[in-house]
Amino acid sequence: MKNQFFSQVSAFNNDVIGYKAPESIELLPDDVKKLSLIQLREEISELETAQTKTEQIDAVIDLVYFAYGCLYKMGLSEKQFSKIATLVHTANMTKA
C-alpha cells in the first residue's frame, strides 16, 4: 500500500536534510532522538495554544510530519510503515 505522505517526508529527510536512513530498523541515535523530542513537543505546544482551525491543523500536520520523520530515521521503509500502521490500526479497532 502506497503512503504518499510517508514518502514525501522520507524524501525531505533524505534529499533536503541529508539524513540517510539506516538499512535496517534501529533505535534513533541519542542526538536525533533529543532533537525529535524538541520538535514534537514544540508542535504539541503550538496545538495547545492554537486559536484557529488553521493553526490547529498546521500543528497536527507538523506533529505527524515530525513523527513520520522519526520513523524514517529509524529505518522504516514506506512498505514497512504501511504494514506496521495497519497492525496498530487493527489492534486499536478492537479497543472499547
Side-chain angles (χ1 to χ4, degrees):
M1 176 188 305
K2 186 108 172 108
N3 186 305
Q4 185 177 358
F5 193 62
F6 188 86
S7 180
Q8 291 168 332
V9 171
S10 297
F12 172 79
N13 279 280
N14 185 63
D15 302 342
V16 177
I17 301 300
Y19 194 99
K20 304 298 180 206
E23 293 191 22
S24 61
I25 299 173
E26 301 177 1
L27 291 172
L28 290 171
D30 287 341
D31 61 328
V32 174
K33 181 180 173 182
K34 183 177 180 178
L35 176 59
S36 296
L37 287 168
I38 290 168
Q39 293 165 328
L40 292 165
R41 288 180 181 126
E42 180 179 325
E43 297 309 325
I44 290 170
S45 178
E46 286 184 20
L47 179 58
E48 288 174 334
T49 60
Q51 298 294 312
T52 68
K53 291 181 280 188
T54 301
E55 289 172 342
Q56 286 185 353
I57 291 167
D58 177 69
V60 172
I61 290 177
D62 282 345
L63 185 60
V64 172
Y65 200 94
F66 284 120
Y68 277 27
C70 288
L71 295 171
Y72 163 81
K73 292 172 185 173
M74 293 177 73
L76 267 74
S77 67
E78 183 179 333
K79 185 176 180 179
Q80 289 168 318
F81 170 82
S82 292
K83 285 183 179 182
I84 295 168
T86 297
L87 289 172
V88 170
H89 169 71
T90 301
N92 285 342
M93 292 299 289
T94 67
K95 297 177 182 177

